[in-house]
Amino acid sequence: MKTKMLYDLDPYLMPYKGAIDARHERILATKKHLAGDGPLKDAVNNHMYYGLHRCDDGSWIFREWAPSANKMYLIGDFNNWKRTEAYALHPIGNGNWEISVPDKFLAHGELYKLFVEWPGGGGERLPAYVTRVVQDPVTKVFSAQVWDPAEKYVWRHRKPAKREHPFIYECHIGMSSEKEQVASFEDFRRDVLPKVKELGYDTLQIMALQEHPYYGSFGYQVSNFFALSSRFGTPEEFKRLVDEAHAKGIAVVMDIVHSHSVDNEAEGLSRFDGRDDLYFYSGPQGHHPAWGSRCFDYGKDEVKYFLLANIKYWIEEYHIDGFRFDGVTSMLYWDHGLGKDFAGYDNYFNDGVDENAVTYLALANMLIREMNPNAFTIAEDVSGMAGLAAPFEKGGVGFDFRMAMGVADNWIKWIKTLSDEQWSVGEIWWQLTNKRADEKTVSYAECHDQALVGDKTLIFRLMDKEMYFSMNKESRNPIVDRGIALHKMIRLVTAATAGDGYLNFMGNEFGHPEWIDFPREGNGWSYKHARRLWSLAEPDYLRYSCLRRFDGEMVRLLKSEHSLYSRPELIVQDEEKKILIFRRRNCIFAFNFNATGSFADYGFAAPEGEWKIVLDTDEERFDGFARIREGESHFTLKEKSPNGPKCYDGTLMLYLPARSAVVLKKI
């Protein structure tokens, strides 16, 4: 049977059939151009050719691509950083340069660089395919480092199964410690990984793994794409972290940055051989106007090989289980989507789309599946491009998921601009469930974005300065009571309506206060806000522990009931009383967003039978007011209710306290 294409499934896409088919054929043609009739994974091996490698006889071979260079030297500890003919690279054709170095002249841990000369200039450079870069603690200068430890890491645990409906714990290694410092892979493995397992999350999404010169860039200004950031530890320590995550049944997803490159020349790829457009678009298109970074030329074969080999390297070397592609919107459009309102399908199929980038992203997804059929990919895209997270066979680009980025933005908008009485349960339902039926999404109430400099965590936005005085259970404060109640309800309704996956940023499960602010000149290079205050969630006398407990119970319930395996079904949308009720598989979720009104015997249509309360945001252990008996059961009345779907013959009567939610499971 012929595969149905995007336009067969969505009639509004039929006018763009020609553009979708042309895009599909363009991707196939590019794959054939790069890999012939074989798989991509056999053709993208640049990382095995370029860079520094051990030979079978113990000597070293180094190669670099720099077609505009007229001279190139290897400099380092071994020759006192001098340019000498003994360490000059030789041109071998097609812009490639090569040098062989005897074993005795290079040793594990030694530092090195390239010095590249070109017509009219020259400068020190880090190799494009370098896999280890370190920064001098005094001079702050970055250098490549020979990494060839005597003991190679031996993997002990299998990779986990595919995540059809991931529960993602987004994290940053460096800020994962409570201490005012850069935390390490070992710190995270020892102190944080057990917390992730206990909470029930099954996927780690790790930020800032690729080397970046400026710590405060949060890892999004990458200089060395094949190098694991050395500020967090060694490759072996990261492998141990990944291996232990796998032992706990936790997949590891890498936040990969292929959307741009840092503008730095000494550390990055910019003007590597004196040429402005070696890896990047020429002219203004090669410079990102908002990020101050360089934009890859995805139409150039050498760039596609570079980026695809980069993906293969991370999967092979570090057993990565998937990738969250950052800045996809910026990649897809020539104007990077800046200040653009993406209203209508016309935006996705016109000259404003960089089809080179679309092709690259489709090839990246193909490669990842070839490397590991259980790996999965997530696109960070605000444009809503149709087909981005649809299978390639149906005319899509092939991502497994896309981030539902509008959800978090809407929560901020509602909290900032509306009083509680102005909240619309209809709008909440629409914004949380308005997703393409043919594409999977990952929802979140807040990720790292919502707390970066100049913004606040969700709970700090709800409570502000009152958090400093009233998070002790002994002190009752109406602002804090409201914040605690809404924090639980917002997270539950977001997770329970999630399309196909749910994400939480590290520490937000217990209501981490304040904001994220990395050390920079403007804050005196302070680490005060670039860490996680785990100790807040430990003592029972603080309310943070209750929020953490609730988050774990919520995640475990949604996973055990396989709640994300079906679409949410609306039962009640009561604007007057602020009540939202919906069903998902074997559970009914009932929310009362009313600030003051509690409702006894609130009736609505439901399937016949016994329904038991399995989660209540108002439980005392979650810092609620315990207005409902824990674990009580309700039986449907054998009569139709006008309040809800006509397909249900029974009526369920519930007590719904103000600012609370319950989850009922059919027994």
Side-chain angles (χ1 to χ4, degrees):
M1 190 170 76
K2 185 181 177 183
T3 301
K4 287 192 174 183
M5 302 293 280
L6 290 173
Y7 41 76
D8 297 319
L9 301 169
D10 181 354
Y12 290 104
L13 283 172
M14 190 55 75
Y16 308 97
K17 178 180 183 299
I20 293 171
D21 288 343
R23 179 176 287 176
H24 188 78
E25 292 304 317
R26 187 183 304 111
I27 295 165
L28 286 175
T30 306
K31 178 180 181 292
K32 186 175 180 64
H33 171 69
L34 295 179
D37 295 324
L40 269 174
K41 66 179 181 180
D42 291 345
V44 291
N45 295 307
N46 282 28
H47 60 296
M48 299 171 68
Y49 180 79
Y50 295 109
L52 184 67
H53 298 280
R54 273 276 196 187
C55 301
D56 291 339
D57 63 1
S59 64
W60 297 89
I61 188 79
F62 178 88
R63 301 186 188 94
E64 190 63 76
W65 178 60
S68 293
N70 53 21
K71 199 76 174 174
M72 192 180 299
Y73 300 91
L74 200 63
I75 60 175
D77 294 335
F78 45 85
N79 63 3
N80 292 318
W81 301 91
K82 303 293 185 184
R83 282 175 275 167
T84 63
E85 287 304 313
Y87 288 95
L89 280 74
H90 309 289
I92 56 175
N94 298 315
N96 295 316
W97 297 76
E98 181 181 278
I99 185 174
S100 295
V101 181
D103 177 37
K104 62 182 179 180
F105 293 110
L106 277 181
H108 172 67
E110 281 193 305
L111 304 181
Y112 69 99
K113 289 185 181 182
L114 293 173
F115 193 96
V116 183
E117 296 180 0
W118 54 81
E124 292 183 354
R125 295 290 186 264
L126 296 181
Y129 289 82
V130 64
T131 58
R132 176 74 174 171
V133 172
V134 294
Q135 185 179 27
D136 187 283
V138 178
T139 66
K140 305 301 180 184
V141 172
F142 285 86
S143 300
Q145 186 178 43
V146 178
W147 197 256
D148 186 38
E151 290 190 23
K152 310 299 182 188
Y153 187 84
V154 178
W155 293 93
R156 294 171 174 81
H157 302 287
R158 292 182 181 180
K159 295 181 178 182
K162 191 175 182 68
R163 295 288 183 260
E164 299 290 349
H165 300 280
F167 282 80
I168 302 170
Y169 198 82
E170 184 188 30
C171 58
H172 184 285
I173 299 297
M175 63 176 288
S176 65
S177 169
E178 185 144 354
K179 297 176 182 178
E180 295 187 30
Q181 62 184 35
V182 178
S184 68
F185 294 126
E186 285 290 279
D187 293 329
F188 188 95
R189 182 188 62 79
R190 182 186 63 247
D191 301 330
V192 183
L193 193 59
K195 301 180 193 297
V196 179
K197 175 65 175 178
E198 183 184 353
L199 285 166
Y201 290 89
D202 58 25
T203 303
L204 273 182
Q205 181 180 303
I206 308 181
M207 308 169 64
L209 288 176
Q210 294 167 294
E211 191 60 85
H212 45 290
Y214 180 43
Y215 185 49
S217 76
F218 229 72
Y220 291 123
Q221 292 271 350
V222 172
S223 53
N224 314 107
F225 289 79
F226 291 82
L228 179 73
S229 182
S230 61
R231 57 171 56 88
F232 308 131
T234 67
E236 288 67 39
E237 288 167 343
F238 179 59
K239 290 175 182 178
R240 188 180 177 192
L241 165 57
V242 174
D243 210 9
E244 193 159 317
H246 288 168
K248 296 179 183 296
I250 298 173
V252 178
V253 169
M254 174 183 176
D255 204 346
I256 197 166
V257 182
H258 281 181
S259 47
H260 62 137
S261 175
V262 71
D263 193 38
N264 303 34
E265 296 178 6
E267 295 88 8
L269 298 171
S270 189
R271 296 185 71 245
F272 184 83
D273 62 354
R275 179 175 164 183
D276 191 56
D277 62 348
L278 183 64
Y279 285 93
F280 310 109
Y281 284 121
S282 60
Q285 202 61 56
H287 298 264
H288 200 292
W291 298 344
S293 53
R294 303 304 313 275
C295 300
F296 285 110
D297 182 349
Y298 303 104
K300 187 178 286 186
D301 286 351
E302 292 86 353
V303 172
K304 288 194 285 285
Y305 278 122
F306 175 83
L307 295 175
L308 291 170
N310 187 234
I311 289 171
K312 182 175 180 178
Y313 172 78
W314 285 98
I315 294 175
E316 285 182 332
E317 186 69 18
Y318 295 111
H319 289 204
I320 296 296
D321 302 301
F323 299 89
R324 181 258 198 191
F325 280 72
D326 175 70
V328 168
T329 306
S330 179
M331 299 171 70
L332 292 175
Y333 306 96
W334 292 111
D335 62 6
H336 310 294
L338 297 172
K340 192 170 182 177
D341 181 15
F342 290 94
Y345 285 172
D346 285 345
N347 291 284
Y348 311 141
F349 308 102
N350 60 35
D351 292 340
V353 176
D354 182 356
E355 291 292 344
N356 295 329
V358 176
T359 297
Y360 165 68
L361 289 170
L363 295 176
N365 278 284
M366 286 183 194
L367 172 64
I368 291 163
R369 282 173 195 44
E370 288 180 6
M371 295 292 298
N372 178 6
N374 288 330
F376 63 98
T377 57
I378 306 168
E380 187 217 23
D381 169 50
V382 298
S383 76
M385 175 179 276
L388 186 65
F392 175 72
E393 299 75 28
K394 296 182 179 181
V397 179
F399 281 97
D400 289 286
F401 304 92
R402 68 189 320 147
M403 303 294 290
M405 302 182 71
V407 172
D409 292 340
N410 275 295
W411 283 122
I412 291 176
K413 180 184 74 173
W414 296 327
I415 292 170
K416 283 178 67 173
T417 64
L418 301 176
S419 67
D420 293 3
E421 291 72 26
Q422 292 174 315
W423 283 25
S424 165
V425 292
E427 186 180 7
I428 290 172
W429 172 257
W430 169 253
Q431 295 295 351
L432 268 56
T433 61
N434 180 26
K435 306 174 179 79
R436 293 185 63 85
D438 57 347
E439 298 189 35
K440 292 183 176 181
T441 56
V442 174
S443 292
Y444 55 98
E446 55 182 340
C447 67
H448 71 274
D449 283 331
Q450 281 66 48
L452 285 174
V453 181
D455 216 329
K456 304 173 183 178
T457 58
L458 187 61
I459 200 159
F460 200 56
R461 190 174 290 283
L462 288 165
M463 303 181 192
D464 211 77
K465 68 181 188 307
E466 299 301 324
M467 286 194 78
Y468 298 130
F469 310 108
S470 303
M471 287 301 282
N472 188 305
K473 288 182 184 177
E474 304 266 324
S475 57
R476 305 311 300 189
N477 179 306
I479 294 176
V480 171
D481 289 344
R482 169 185 178 267
I484 292 286
L486 287 178
H487 190 266
K488 291 177 288 186
M489 294 180 71
I490 288 170
R491 298 175 79 77
L492 178 59
V493 74
T494 301
T497 57
D500 304 273
Y502 175 72
L503 177 143
N504 163 62
F505 180 68
M506 174 179 71
N508 288 355
E509 69 276 3
F510 64 82
H512 201 283
E514 300 182 318
W515 56 88
I516 298 170
D517 188 6
F518 272 62
R520 55 190 172 87
E521 188 174 3
N523 65 13
W525 302 103
S526 169
Y527 288 86
K528 182 180 179 182
H529 293 289
R531 57 191 180 124
R532 296 285 90 177
L533 303 174
W534 302 108
S535 60
L536 291 176
E538 295 302 321
D540 281 339
Y541 59 82
L542 291 180
R543 297 176 176 183
Y544 299 100
S545 64
C546 301
L547 293 177
R548 184 179 187 279
R549 189 176 298 120
F550 172 77
D551 196 84
E553 291 292 329
M554 176 188 77
V555 169
R556 284 189 287 272
L557 174 66
L558 294 175
K559 285 176 62 180
S560 65
E561 294 302 319
H562 303 289
S563 296
L564 304 191
Y565 281 74
S566 68
R567 301 293 95 183
E569 174 192 2
L570 181 63
I571 296 177
V572 173
Q573 181 180 302
D574 188 334
E575 291 291 357
E576 180 186 354
K577 292 184 171 65
K578 305 297 180 192
I579 289 175
L580 176 65
I581 302 174
F582 57 90
R583 183 186 176 193
R584 203 154 191 185
R585 289 178 68 87
N586 206 35
C587 291
I588 287 176
F589 300 80
F591 293 80
N592 180 4
F593 283 97
N594 200 300
T596 57
S598 298
F599 304 100
D601 296 330
Y602 189 91
F604 58 91
E608 287 190 44
E610 178 185 356
W611 293 85
K612 182 179 180 181
I613 293 179
V614 290
L615 187 65
D616 173 14
T617 64
D618 200 42
E619 287 184 46
E620 186 176 357
R621 63 190 178 124
F622 303 144
D623 196 32
F625 294 97
R627 291 168 286 184
I628 296 176
R629 271 202 316 274
E630 189 175 337
E632 68 180 13
S633 289
H634 295 263
F635 294 84
T636 53
L637 303 176
K638 293 186 177 180
E639 58 184 53
K640 278 186 175 289
S641 171
N643 200 13
K646 295 179 180 179
C647 60
Y648 295 148
D649 292 328
T651 296
L652 202 57
M653 309 290 287
L654 294 181
Y655 171 47
L656 299 177
R659 280 203 191 112
S660 72
V662 293
V663 184
L664 301 102
K665 176 182 176 181
K666 195 170 191 297
I667 303 302

